[in-house]
Amino acid sequence: MTTVPYGAWPSPIQPSDLTAGSRRLSDLRVTDDALVWIEGRPDEAGRSVLVVAGRDGTLTEPAPDDWSVRTLVHEYGGGSVSATPAGLVVSRFDDQRLWLVGSGEPLALTPEPPASRSLRYADGDADPSGRFLYAVREVHPDDGGHDEPDNDLVAVALDGSGVRQVAGGHDFFSSPQVSPDGRRLAWFTWDHPRMPWDGTELWVADIAADGSLGTPSLVAGGPDESIQQPSWTADGELRWITDTSGWWNLHSTSGPLHELAGEVGLPHWIFGRVTASDLPDGSTALAWIERGIGHLGVVRDGELTTIDTPFSAFEQVRATPWGTIAVLAAGPTTPLGVAEVDPATGAVTTRRASVDADPDPAFLSVPEPIEFPSADGRTAHAFHYPPAHAEVTGPEDELPPLIVLSHGGPTSASSPTWDLRTAFWTSRGFAVVDVNYGGSTGYGRPYRRLLDGAWGVVDLDDCVAAARWLADQGLADPDRLLIRGGSAGGYTTLCALTFRDTFAAGASFYGVADLEVLARDTHKFEARYLDGLVGVWPDDEATYRERSPIHHTDRISTPMIVLQGADDPVVPPNQAEAIVAALDDRGVTHAYLLFEGESHGFRRADTIERAAAAEYAFYCAALDIEPPPGTAPVELVHGD
């Protein structure tokens, strides 16, 4: 082994490797004889492609070559493809219309919107006869004004003859599901100021002969019960996931399917994610999270049998008609992929991986779950990734620099999975800690509610505590601590670099600098999110100002790099520009990269590669690390 200073290790994982042959896999569906999913391709300018895999593994792409399949409902999307008896129905990104694809010319099922992308659809489910697709619709003002869009449920005729509203009167709708006999529809709703992980309501209505609905009946839910993923068993029993026990568990009209001290549900940021599905033999396949780690199993007659797999995080679980469990999953040494699991043996057949080629496992850091003390006697959670390299080690008298990852959401979570973006850092001699601060999902409702009224406090305390704890354990250099995050994680990053002196530098990706601006200028889905996280605007204006880094720029002296998409509707560029202007006024070393054509989350290969190279160069400059030859420089303001 060659000895090289930490942070300067020559890595085989280059910025170009983060996108070369990589795919963003989502929207897994199952038909009678195939698996269906959507894959985002950075090397095709971020285009989202519809892919179908036959039982023999043959891959086809039934949508036209120049189409991108992605819905913009709630801006975050999901539920962009539906499997129906008539064929596959997709949301085309360019016009947001629904189209029937797969045989002959695509058929438009929804009308041309009066304004660009003003009519959007997601999360469809068809009746067994193949006459109607029930879907969520989002109607934006024709004049492009700032009024909130209206959301409802619609019945879309699969012969292209029209669209009709079937349910309205709530701020948000999700997950319409038709019973196997085609006679009933289930769905759930929620209203401002709640988010779907706070409180939702489950509804059922009869379906009339013309596709309209009878009077809806409330089945379950309320302001303090989070319901998601309604579904029907083969014999017509309604099931749903609820957190009445303190954990998202699967229930039905007969009671709980199997009670777990773990989360079967996931935070409802996007449409169409399913984590429980009935197999042909009547048993139920489900995934759940315990202490941040995902597991797969089968429930039969109330008894749960765990299936041993290489996966530790499951984004989709769908039973196939031929008896396997189709999953979109990843593990500590297994990249995210579409796979089939044999429920009897646990044998895994990968249908599509998110990358074409894996790096040498010797360059991959295997995550270790850690628990550590934080403020007010709390215990917080994280995953620690030590530096890893096949040929290089650090000096015996040196500790590695540490990168603290603050995940987005903030009602979300990190998972201990293979991620080339993490390996990009650990193979260069950085340690990484991915923090599931208070408010993260996967640890039960009480832990998730720790962030109520405390965003910018609990998350900040836990990220700082993780860094200090690892330094105290001799696993990180206390003088070379870094923090990075995107969106809500970018806000936590900016708070850390403003209100604390723990970190030597940081990186904010489309982060929130001004909570007041976010409360006034964001999309409908999150328009009242801050009511629960911070306080009611404008009544609690003092709290908003107290926790907004932009109002405390006199305290900023830590170098940072700011990265932003020019077309971001969730955290608009004015947030980044405000903090950059303050850094400039203060004479603080910084770098600012604005990417045209990028939205909330970077999708294009050139953006992802340039951002990674710039961030590494920035950290090297901030920590006085001499990077390997050929490292691309970054343009610094008020710095060398």
Side-chain angles (χ1 to χ4, degrees):
M1 298 285 282
T2 304
T3 300
V4 178
Y6 287 107
W9 294 358
S11 172
I13 304 171
Q14 297 303 306
S16 58
D17 295 317
L18 302 181
T19 60
S22 68
R23 309 168 189 90
R24 295 163 58 109
L25 303 175
S26 64
D27 271 321
L28 176 63
R29 300 291 184 269
V30 174
T31 70
D32 289 341
D33 57 2
L35 302 184
V36 181
W37 64 85
I38 292 173
E39 54 185 56
R41 296 176 179 171
D43 56 1
E44 295 184 28
R47 187 169 77 96
S48 297
V49 181
L50 179 68
V51 179
V52 176
R55 292 282 303 275
D56 62 357
T58 302
L59 301 182
T60 57
E61 299 175 9
D65 292 343
D66 60 344
W67 280 26
S68 189
V69 176
R70 180 160 68 96
T71 181
L72 291 173
V73 177
H74 293 179
E75 303 299 340
Y76 295 114
S80 299
V81 58
S82 303
T84 80
L88 296 176
V89 175
V90 301
S91 172
R92 184 185 180 195
F93 178 69
D94 286 349
D95 57 20
Q96 290 296 291
R97 300 171 74 184
L98 292 181
W99 296 77
L100 183 67
V101 300
S103 58
E105 289 294 314
L107 173 66
L109 301 180
T110 58
E112 186 78 35
S116 177
R117 299 174 177 172
S118 61
L119 297 177
R120 307 174 181 182
Y121 306 86
D123 210 18
D125 190 51
D127 74 290
S129 70
R131 293 190 306 149
F132 299 104
L133 177 78
Y134 292 90
V136 176
R137 179 175 64 177
E138 189 171 83
V139 182
H140 288 251
D142 295 347
D143 60 3
H146 293 289
D147 292 340
E148 282 191 343
D150 292 324
N151 293 68
D152 56 16
L153 287 183
V154 293
V156 179
L158 288 170
D159 62 2
S161 60
V163 178
R164 67 185 297 174
Q165 184 194 64
V166 295
H170 292 278
D171 289 321
F172 302 98
F173 292 79
S174 184
S175 308
Q177 292 289 299
V178 183
S179 62
D181 59 9
R183 299 175 60 182
R184 291 177 292 169
L185 184 74
W187 69 93
F188 72 90
T189 65
W190 68 99
D191 295 287
H192 286 319
R194 286 177 281 151
M195 298 299 286
W197 40 83
D198 296 326
T200 56
E201 293 86 31
L202 176 63
W203 302 88
V204 171
D206 292 333
I207 299 176
D210 63 357
S212 62
L213 300 182
T215 302
S217 298
L218 180 65
V219 176
D224 297 310
E225 179 184 358
S226 175
I227 284 174
Q228 58 177 267
Q229 297 185 38
S231 63
W232 300 90
T233 64
D235 59 4
E237 183 179 31
L238 181 62
R239 284 184 179 167
W240 61 92
I241 290 173
T242 176
D243 66 354
T244 50
S245 68
W247 302 92
W248 273 317
N249 275 200
L250 192 60
H251 282 236
S252 72
T253 50
S254 303
L257 183 70
H258 180 86
E259 293 191 83
L260 280 163
E263 304 273 40
V264 179
L266 297 169
H268 188 76
W269 281 103
I270 61 175
F271 292 104
R273 291 201 295 190
V274 170
T275 51
S277 183
D278 285 350
L279 288 155
D281 64 3
S283 61
T284 301
L286 57 82
W288 72 98
I289 302 170
E290 283 188 41
R291 306 181 84 81
I293 300 175
H295 306 271
L296 183 69
V298 172
V299 175
R300 181 179 286 104
D301 298 326
E303 296 297 320
L304 174 64
T305 301
T306 301
I307 302 173
D308 185 21
T309 74
F311 306 121
S312 56
F314 296 84
E315 295 187 12
Q316 294 273 0
V317 174
R318 293 185 179 269
T320 69
W322 51 93
T324 63
I325 306 170
V327 299
L328 181 57
T333 58
T334 305
L336 182 70
V338 174
E340 290 184 66
V341 179
D342 185 322
T345 66
V348 174
T349 302
T350 299
R351 297 300 183 192
R352 188 68 150 173
S354 57
V355 293
D356 281 338
D358 297 349
D360 185 335
F363 291 93
L364 299 179
S365 179
V366 177
E368 175 191 359
I370 61 172
E371 298 181 358
F372 54 92
S374 188
D376 301 322
R378 291 195 317 275
T379 296
H381 305 269
F383 296 102
H384 173 234
Y385 297 77
H389 201 289
E391 302 162 354
V392 173
T393 187
E396 291 185 1
D397 60 350
E398 184 181 338
L399 294 173
L402 172 72
I403 300 175
V404 175
L405 302 184
S406 176
H407 66 69
T411 309
S412 184
S414 60
S415 56
T417 55
W418 185 100
D419 191 330
L420 205 59
R421 295 167 298 179
T422 301
F424 177 84
W425 299 110
T426 56
S427 64
R428 282 168 168 75
F430 292 84
V432 172
V433 61
D434 207 348
V435 183
N436 276 332
Y437 47 76
S440 301
T441 54
Y443 302 89
R445 185 180 179 99
Y447 193 80
R448 190 168 78 239
R449 300 303 295 265
L450 285 175
L451 215 55
D452 288 0
W455 191 30
V457 178
V458 168
D459 51 317
L460 175 56
D461 285 339
D462 289 356
C463 285
V464 169
R468 290 177 172 167
W469 186 82
L470 286 168
D472 290 343
Q473 303 303 307
L475 298 172
D477 186 339
D479 296 322
R480 296 194 294 171
L481 304 175
L482 306 165
I483 186 168
R484 71 189 300 269
S487 190
Y491 167 67
T492 304
T493 295
L494 291 173
C495 286
L497 301 176
T498 301
F499 302 123
R500 305 293 176 87
D501 59 2
T502 306
F503 300 99
S508 170
F509 289 73
Y510 33 89
V512 179
D514 190 338
L515 294 175
E516 297 172 275
V517 171
L518 185 65
R520 298 193 305 263
D521 184 22
T522 193
H523 59 139
K524 179 183 178 181
F525 179 68
E526 294 182 87
R528 301 292 299 277
Y529 191 13
L530 270 61
D531 284 26
L533 294 174
V534 182
V536 178
W537 170 262
D539 297 354
D540 296 309
E541 179 181 3
T543 303
Y544 277 74
R545 295 182 66 85
E546 177 187 353
R547 296 188 195 166
S548 295
I550 198 61
H551 294 302
H552 304 276
T553 55
D554 59 312
R555 300 174 62 175
I556 300 179
S557 59
T558 304
M560 71 176 76
I561 181 171
V562 179
L563 306 100
Q564 176 70 40
D567 301 329
D568 191 337
V570 180
V571 181
N574 57 14
Q575 294 270 328
E577 290 159 2
I579 204 71
V580 168
L583 290 167
D584 195 29
D585 289 343
R586 290 272 296 160
V588 177
T589 299
H590 66 279
Y592 178 44
L593 282 74
L594 180 68
F595 298 101
E596 297 294 335
E598 290 286 7
S599 182
H600 197 66
F602 300 154
R603 294 176 178 270
R604 300 184 178 187
D606 55 347
T607 299
I608 296 168
E609 294 168 19
R610 184 179 169 207
E615 187 181 2
Y616 176 58
F618 186 84
Y619 291 159
C620 288
L623 302 181
D624 198 23
I625 293 171
E626 183 65 34
T631 299
V634 62
E635 183 178 348
L636 300 180
V637 179
H638 304 301
D640 296 328

